[in-house]
């Protein structure tokens, strides 16, 4: 007898997907787990000013000779050398600013030049199909890069009451992330305000190419 599927309501709020996992999806492979972990890691750094706890985890990263590994080593070193408050100030300059930050990490802006445009409407339709709701009181549009990365991680982990096989993951990635996220990551790498976040952009760009 197949396991009974629990009722779930997936909520997208503050740039983060909070979902109840179902009981009947296949166990993750090591590759899938690593992919989901990377999406969640990038989302945690891009969602809001990083907490002391998150920066402590970053400081403990150990890289290797790959592009992602080398950038991770640089990022860990910067996390130990730059005061946490300065890193949070850098996030504010990059993504919030006074009026607006140096970068606007939204699909609509990158694809059309305007916020809250057709890419956001297309994403909301996809979210409706997947059963993901936006949390009440959240002002940030759902096409923020951290939200999209959280949704990808949720798809990989099988958190949604929707198809989550590789074809579904690829379709979401190609439609909502690939057309603009690599350019955003390059812009983060090259941003005038970016010191700590420059290797975050490097990691994100290299990951988008895999």
């Amino acid at each position: 007898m197949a396991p009974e599927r629990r009722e779930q309501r997936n909520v997208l709020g503050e740039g983060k997907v909070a979902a109840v996992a179902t009981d009947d999806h296949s166990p993750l492979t090591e590759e899938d787990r690593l992919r989901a972990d990377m999406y969640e890691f990038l989302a945690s750094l891009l969602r809001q000013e990083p907490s002391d706890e998150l920066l402590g985890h970053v400081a403990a990263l150990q890289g290797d000779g790959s592009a992602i590994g080398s950038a991770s080593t640089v990022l860990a070193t910067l996390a130990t050398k730059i005061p946490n408050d300065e890193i949070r100030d850098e996030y504010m300059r990059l993504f919030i600013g006074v009026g607006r930050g140096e970068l606007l990490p939204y699909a609509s802006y990158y694809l059309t030049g305007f916020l809250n445009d057709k890419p956001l409407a297309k994403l909301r339709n996809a979210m409706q199909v997947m059963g993901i709701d936006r949390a009440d009181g959240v002002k940030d549009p759902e096409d923020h890069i951290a939200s999209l990365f959280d949704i990808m991680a949720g798809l990989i982990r099988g958190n949604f009451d929707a198809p989550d096989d590789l074809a579904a993951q690829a379709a979401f990635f190609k439609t909502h992330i690939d057309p603009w996220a690599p350019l955003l990551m390059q812009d983060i790498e090259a941003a005038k305000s970016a010191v700590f976040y420059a290797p975050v952009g490097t990691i994100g760009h290299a990951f988008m190419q895999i």
Side-chain angles (χ1 to χ4, degrees), residues 25 45 50 53 55 59 74 82-83 89 102-103 107 113 119 125 143 145 147 154 164 170 182 209:
H25 61 80
L45 287 169
E53 180 181 9
L55 292 173
V74 173
I82 303 175
D89 286 344
E102 187 174 343
L103 302 173
N125 288 336
D143 61 344
I145 189 63
S147 297
D164 55 18
Q209 305 310 306

Side-chain angles (χ1 to χ4, degrees), residues 38-190:
M38 179 59 78
Y39 276 116
E40 289 170 346
F41 174 68
L42 290 169
S44 69
L45 287 169
L46 295 169
R47 181 180 302 118
Q48 60 191 13
E49 307 98 304
S51 65
D52 290 343
E53 180 181 9
L54 174 57
L55 292 173
H57 290 312
V58 172
L61 290 175
Q62 295 182 349
D64 55 26
S66 67
I68 291 176
S70 297
S72 296
T73 299
V74 173
L75 186 64
T77 300
L78 291 172
T80 64
K81 293 183 177 297
I82 303 175
N84 291 358
D85 285 343
E86 289 187 18
I87 294 174
R88 286 188 278 268
D89 286 344
E90 180 180 323
Y91 179 93
M92 292 294 293
R93 291 193 299 274
L94 276 172
F95 303 113
I96 307 297
V98 178
R100 58 158 287 181
E102 187 174 343
L103 302 173
L104 292 175
Y106 302 93
S108 289
Y109 183 79
Y110 265 77
L111 294 174
T112 71
F114 300 95
L115 294 173
N116 302 314
D117 212 321
K118 290 181 180 179
L120 176 58
K122 193 172 184 179
L123 173 63
R124 286 174 172 169
N125 288 336
M127 289 169 56
Q128 185 175 15
V129 171
M130 290 188 290
I132 305 173
D133 297 327
R134 179 179 177 177
D136 295 336
V138 174
K139 297 179 180 180
D140 214 26
E142 298 93 320
D143 61 344
H144 189 284
I145 189 63
S147 297
L148 294 172
F149 282 174
D150 275 323
I151 291 174
M152 273 300 302
L155 282 173
I156 295 167
R157 296 193 188 282
N159 285 349
F160 306 134
D161 190 12
D164 55 18
D165 55 21
L166 284 175
Q169 296 171 32
F172 186 88
F173 177 84
K174 290 177 181 178
T175 300
H176 302 287
I177 296 177
D178 191 47
W180 71 284
L183 178 57
L184 169 65
M185 295 303 155
Q186 289 179 307
D187 288 346
I188 293 173
E189 282 186 279

Side-chain angles (χ1 to χ4, degrees), residues 187-198:
D187 288 346
I188 293 173
E189 282 186 279
K192 294 179 181 179
S193 302
V195 179
F196 174 83
Y197 273 89

